[in-house]
Amino acid sequence: MSPVVSPLGVPNVPWCPSHIPPAVPNVPSEPIVPFCPQCPCVPCCPLAVRAVPNVPLPSPVSLCCPCCPHCPQCPQCPHCPRCPHCPCAVPAVPSVPNVPIVPDVPIVPSVPVLSLLSPLSPLSPLSPVSLLSPMSPVSPMSPLSLMSPMSPMSPVSPMSPLSLMSPVSPMSPLSPMSPVSPFVPIVPFVPIVPDVPRLAHGGAIATLIDTSLGTLALAVAGRVVTANLSIDYLAPVPLRSVLLLEAFLQRRQGRKLFLGCDLWDAEGTTLHAKATGLFIQQDPPKEAARGGDSGR
Ligand SMILES: CCCCCCCCCCCCCCCC(=O)SCCNC(=O)CCNC(=O)[C@H](O)C(C)(C)COP(=O)(O)OP(=O)(O)OC[C@H]1O[C@@H](n2cnc3c(N)ncnc32)[C@H](O)[C@@H]1OP(=O)(O)O
């Protein structure tokens, strides 16, 4: 077998997730998949396909993986965790041409939605965040529920890209004025960038936080943009760890929504980050635009 070469041309750096031991002791590891000299997992990744733009996609179509130019020679491709066509991979995103940053229709953040740092999405392989669920109309005041990081109800699967644990519950009505409003995505970080320390990138964490806060703001006020985001990184996030993000609306002042969040490990024992964000409502209803301050 020829030596493994990373996308950056650095040999013998087994960055493939199949070869990285689990960073979190309690998270079961993925099955070890032997490297294939034709396809050391890297070509299975849409990022790698992008990196080799002149490599035509293989034909005929009877491939295990149309994303992988080496797939016909690679018996491992169907089992590569990076392959969107692999049975163990993330469900493919429906073919939507573009995912708006802020959807026109507010969504219920209780639907499984986010694939953080997933290179698997055919929607946008380079996008750190992919939308995996259809959008559902919802009242901006729709009640959401709070799920504690400690909740035994959390079916966290370290193999899934994300489980979003905010089922709609009449038990916990979300008021825009509520100091604690609930939005709790559960996200395992997976490595997509080779040759980096096995810690989650701060920018990726920021993306997670921005998207989560933005989703909560979206549920409360419709179209929003981030005006300010402030993050305190308190403890490193190991790759492959599973996280809980608890977001809450602190206050609302006219078009301004002040939100905060805590990023925990799956057990709710380590606080990895705290953040606050200011989101500005876009195209507010006329009464809001006139009167303004519904907050404190
Ligand atoms: C996990 C599950 C996933 C599910 C999957 C869902 C997918 C769906 C995800 C949706 C969630 C997307 C979340 C990402 C959202 C972005 O990342 S958006 C992209 C990043 N943000 C931007 O590009 C914004 C760029 N900036 C701007 O457009 C404008 O500067 C702004 C922010 C809209 C403000 O401009 P403006 O509308 O003219 O408002 P302006 O009068 O200047 O300011 C309004 C008020 O805000 C204040 N303000 C404005 N900026 C600031 C600031 N930086 N600091 C403090 N105060 C400020 C002003 O002082 C003013 O206050 P008041 O005088 O009214 O008291």
Side-chain angles (χ1 to χ4, degrees):
M1 178 180 288
S2 45
V4 174
V5 178
S6 79
L8 297 183
V10 181
N12 301 319
V13 182
W15 68 278
C16 170
S18 303
H19 290 69
I20 294 178
V24 178
N26 293 331
V27 176
S29 62
E30 294 174 4
I32 299 298
V33 179
F35 267 51
C36 167
Q38 295 296 325
C39 179
C41 288
V42 175
C44 294
C45 171
L47 293 171
V49 174
R50 289 244 176 148
V52 192
N54 293 328
V55 175
L57 289 180
S59 60
V61 193
S62 61
L63 302 169
C64 55
C65 175
C67 295
C68 175
H70 303 286
C71 203
Q73 295 86 39
C74 178
Q76 306 302 336
C77 261
H79 308 291
C80 172
R82 290 180 176 271
C83 172
H85 304 279
C86 170
C88 62
V90 188
V93 177
S95 58
V96 180
N98 285 305
V99 175
I101 292 179
V102 180
D104 288 336
V105 183
I107 64 168
V108 182
S110 58
V111 189
V113 205
L114 176 70
S115 167
L116 181 71
L117 300 180
S118 168
L120 304 175
S121 166
L123 190 65
S124 172
L126 292 175
S127 167
V129 177
S130 302
L131 189 63
L132 294 181
S133 93
M135 298 172 189
S136 305
V138 65
S139 158
M141 300 305 165
S142 169
L144 306 175
S145 73
L146 176 63
M147 178 166 284
S148 155
M150 304 300 292
S151 169
M153 294 175 61
S154 304
V156 178
S157 163
M159 305 301 291
S160 75
L162 177 121
S163 306
L164 188 58
M165 297 293 107
S166 293
V168 172
S169 163
M171 303 290 292
S172 303
L174 168 62
S175 159
M177 303 305 302
S178 171
V180 176
S181 53
F183 179 64
V184 187
I186 301 174
V187 178
F189 277 76
V190 297
I192 62 166
V193 181
D195 314 327
V196 297
R198 292 170 187 176
L199 299 175
H201 192 282
I205 295 171
T207 300
L208 165 64
I209 290 173
D210 189 22
T211 304
S212 300
L213 291 180
T215 301
L216 178 57
L218 179 69
V220 171
R223 297 172 62 91
V224 292
V225 294
T226 314
N228 181 268
L229 189 64
S230 174
I231 302 174
D232 291 325
Y233 296 93
L234 304 177
V237 175
L239 290 178
R240 295 187 173 279
S241 60
V242 178
L243 303 176
L244 287 169
L245 189 148
E246 192 171 12
F248 41 88
L249 180 66
Q250 294 173 325
R251 65 191 169 99
R252 181 175 183 179
Q253 185 180 359
R255 296 169 57 212
K256 297 190 288 188
L257 292 98
F258 297 87
L259 296 99
C261 74
D262 297 329
L263 187 64
W264 296 89
D265 65 344
E267 289 75 33
T269 53
T270 301
L271 183 58
H272 287 292
K274 293 176 72 69
T276 56
L278 169 62
F279 289 76
I280 307 295
Q281 184 183 25
Q282 306 290 286
D283 306 323
K286 284 179 182 168
E287 55 274 21
R290 273 199 308 270
D293 197 346
S294 62
R296 288 179 279 231

